[in-house]
């Protein structure tokens, strides 16, 4: 019995030590009820970049230090009446530049369905200055609304941005490459 008790205590000590390898460091809230975060990435300095949007409005991008301090926040809107932007993905390149990829959309007369009419690509420098913005026109499939609009992006070692999307005409996967100069 004493050996069983010793084995149990040893097992509990080892397992609790193993579970204690992670600790809660910090948490940051959006600061506004309507803000929705879509994606986050880590830059080359271990800062956290969060991209999101306000419903039926604009894209926001926030950068936090590795300790959770808000470094900056920028917003970007379509500038077109009844046309909105929504972030879907974000990446950072090896120089710390930030890419936010999303969609520009409008709503039906009932205000419910969203119809994407462009892929939005934003490139910021590490300080949050907008370097360029590209609107890549698309024709969305009539198979579904933009709820099925999928979009992902990746940056290679040379700084090229690759975007993959579906639910567009022609059907299937569409690949887009944008070079570092934009």
């Amino acid at each position: 019995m004493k050996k069983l008790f010793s084995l149990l205590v040893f097992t509990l000590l080892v397992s609790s030590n193993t579970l204690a390898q992670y600790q809660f460091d910090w948490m940051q809230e959006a600061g506004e009820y309507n803000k929705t975060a879509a994606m986050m990435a880590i830059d080359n300095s271990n800062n956290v970049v969060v991209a999101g949007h306000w419903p039926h409005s604009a894209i926001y991008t926030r950068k936090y230090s590795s300790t959770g301090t808000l470094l900056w926040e920028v917003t970007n809107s379509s500038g077109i009446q009844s046309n909105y932007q929504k972030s879907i993905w974000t990446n950072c390149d090896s120089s710390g530049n930030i890419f936010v990829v999303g969609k520009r959309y409008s709503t039906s007369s009932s205000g419910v369905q969203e119809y994407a009419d462009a892929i939005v690509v934003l490139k910021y420098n590490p300080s949050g200055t907008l370097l360029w913005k590209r609107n890549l026109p698309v024709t969305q499939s009539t198979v579904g609304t933009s709820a099925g609009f999928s979009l992902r992006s990746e940056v290679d070692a040379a700084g090229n941005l690759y975007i993959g999307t579906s639910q567009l005409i022609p059907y299937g996967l569409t690949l887009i490459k944008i070079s570092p100069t934009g």
Side-chain angles (χ1 to χ4, degrees):
M1 181 70 170
K2 187 175 182 179
K3 287 183 181 183
L4 181 61
F5 180 73
S6 297
L7 180 62
L8 178 63
V9 169
F10 177 75
T11 303
L12 287 173
L13 287 174
V14 169
S15 65
S16 67
N17 190 25
T18 303
L19 296 174
Q21 291 181 9
Y22 289 94
Q23 69 179 23
F24 180 81
D25 290 329
W26 55 270
M27 178 175 72
Q28 289 291 348
E29 296 180 1
E32 288 185 34
Y33 175 73
N34 287 337
K35 275 188 179 176
T36 301
M39 183 68 183
M40 60 165 269
I42 306 296
D43 72 6
N44 58 352
S45 299
N46 290 324
N47 296 307
V48 181
V49 177
V50 177
H53 64 279
W54 287 276
H56 302 297
S57 186
I59 291 174
Y60 73 87
T61 307
R62 282 184 162 190
K63 185 174 182 180
Y64 296 94
S65 71
S66 61
T67 60
T69 303
L70 178 64
L71 300 174
W72 51 260
E73 177 178 281
V74 294
T75 61
N76 190 279
S77 64
S78 72
I80 302 170
Q81 179 89 18
S82 300
N83 215 276
Y84 313 106
Q85 292 183 159
K86 185 176 195 175
S87 64
I88 297 175
W89 209 256
T90 189
N91 305 92
C92 299
D93 67 14
S94 60
S95 299
N97 295 309
I98 299 157
F99 297 89
V100 177
V101 181
K103 64 182 176 179
R104 187 179 69 195
Y105 67 95
S106 59
T107 58
S108 66
S109 58
S110 65
V112 176
Q113 296 180 320
E114 300 173 354
Y115 297 96
D117 66 358
I119 295 171
V120 177
V121 184
L122 305 167
K123 182 178 180 181
Y124 296 99
N125 73 9
S127 300
T129 301
L130 181 66
L131 298 175
W132 51 255
K133 176 180 181 175
R134 300 292 180 265
N135 289 305
L136 310 171
V138 297
T139 303
Q140 189 171 333
S141 165
T142 57
V143 172
T145 66
S146 63
F149 185 93
S150 64
L151 184 129
R152 298 294 181 263
S153 62
E154 191 61 55
V155 180
D156 68 14
N160 295 302
L161 177 68
Y162 296 87
I163 301 169
T165 186
S166 65
Q167 287 295 335
L168 303 176
I169 296 173
Y171 299 105
L173 177 66
T174 302
L175 292 174
I176 301 164
K177 177 184 174 186
I178 301 175
S179 65
T181 57

